[in-house]
Amino acid sequence: MKNDEILLLYEFRTGDNFETENIIYTLKDLYIGKNCRLKEVYSKGTLYVDENSEVRAIASDSDMFLGKNVFIKRWIDSMKSIFVSAKCNLGVVASAGENIVLSQGVKFERLFAKRIMTYNIAKEKEKDSYIIGTIKSDEDIEIKGNIEIVGNLISEGKIKLHDNVAVKGNVFSQVDIELNNGIRIGIENKIKSVVANGKVILGEDVIVYGFISSKEGETK
């Protein structure tokens, strides 16, 4: 077959170390083995990518599961949820109709889903105090404690949030954003944004309802 020809399959399972320049299209589930090198992949069923594989672009009408150290060169999209194992690289943009669930050491640039979640999600605690209104600063912002901010958080410097802080609005930084343990951004079923001109770092037990954009993002 020539390069860029479409392989139309009802169901497909590659072996390990499989390589092709053809576009793969499956009508049911698709399983990609270890150490594979693929160009563009689309599945109408559930899609599994085993560890150390590399795909240029990948999409599914169902759930997607990425093994450890999978590298997406450009984009990944699921109409349901994407479950991401440790040390994956999600390329330029990852989007899902429901959830994106991230393990440790995952790299990304832009993420979009109803819920973007990191590992070890815990039940949200009732807040001890509330701040009503948007917070703006020309300098760095660092907030700790079991606090809810009912508004946006905007800084010309870095933003660091710790210890169960919740922000019901958008979070914008001209530099970096770091969201540590227990952070919640946005409201379920309402799209909110976390946007940094530099890095976005996500710790464990973080939920963002909507959109994350950065030049360089990673879960720690």
Side-chain angles (χ1 to χ4, degrees), residues 46-211:
T46 303
L47 204 158
Y48 305 85
V49 184
D50 213 334
E51 60 186 56
N52 299 316
S53 288
E54 182 180 295
V55 186
R56 181 181 178 188
I58 190 167
S60 173
D61 287 352
S62 189
D63 291 325
M64 299 178 63
F65 299 85
L66 304 186
K68 292 181 180 179
N69 201 37
V70 168
F71 179 44
I72 308 299
K73 287 186 175 181
R74 293 185 62 187
W75 57 266
I76 179 171
D77 176 73
S78 168
M79 292 184 69
K80 291 189 177 180
S81 295
I82 302 173
F83 300 89
V84 185
S85 297
K87 297 183 179 180
C88 288
N89 188 320
L90 298 181
V92 178
V93 59
S95 57
E98 295 178 4
N99 306 307
I100 296 177
V101 184
L102 305 172
S103 299
Q104 290 177 288
V106 175
K107 295 184 179 180
F108 58 85
E109 291 184 25
R110 298 195 298 273
L111 305 174
F112 182 81
K114 289 181 179 178
R115 285 175 297 274
I116 301 164
M117 303 185 291
T118 64
Y119 53 97
N120 296 336
I121 291 296
K123 185 177 180 180
E124 188 172 358
K125 298 179 181 179
E126 184 176 347
K127 300 307 175 188
D128 296 327
S129 58
Y130 297 83
I131 299 173
I132 308 299
T134 292
I135 297 175
K136 294 183 178 181
S137 176
D138 293 331
E139 300 180 352
D140 294 349
I141 295 175
E142 185 168 6
I143 301 175
K144 301 180 180 180
N146 194 30
I147 299 167
E148 181 173 299
I149 300 166
V150 186
N152 300 317
L153 193 55
I154 302 169
S155 175
E156 295 294 319
K158 297 179 181 179
I159 295 176
K160 284 189 177 182
L161 304 181
H162 312 264
D163 305 328
N164 303 306
V165 172
V167 181
K168 295 303 182 184
N170 302 297
V171 180
F172 294 101
S173 169
Q174 293 292 350
V175 190
D176 303 330
I177 296 173
E178 185 172 337
L179 307 179
N180 292 294
N181 299 2
I183 303 303
R184 302 290 185 268
I185 306 296
I187 304 169
E188 193 158 10
N189 297 320
K190 290 186 179 180
I191 300 301
K192 298 297 179 181
S193 298
V194 173
V195 178
N197 281 334
K199 296 180 180 179
V200 170
I201 306 297
L202 306 178
E204 66 177 308
D205 186 23
V206 171
I207 300 178
V208 176
Y209 295 101
F211 179 63

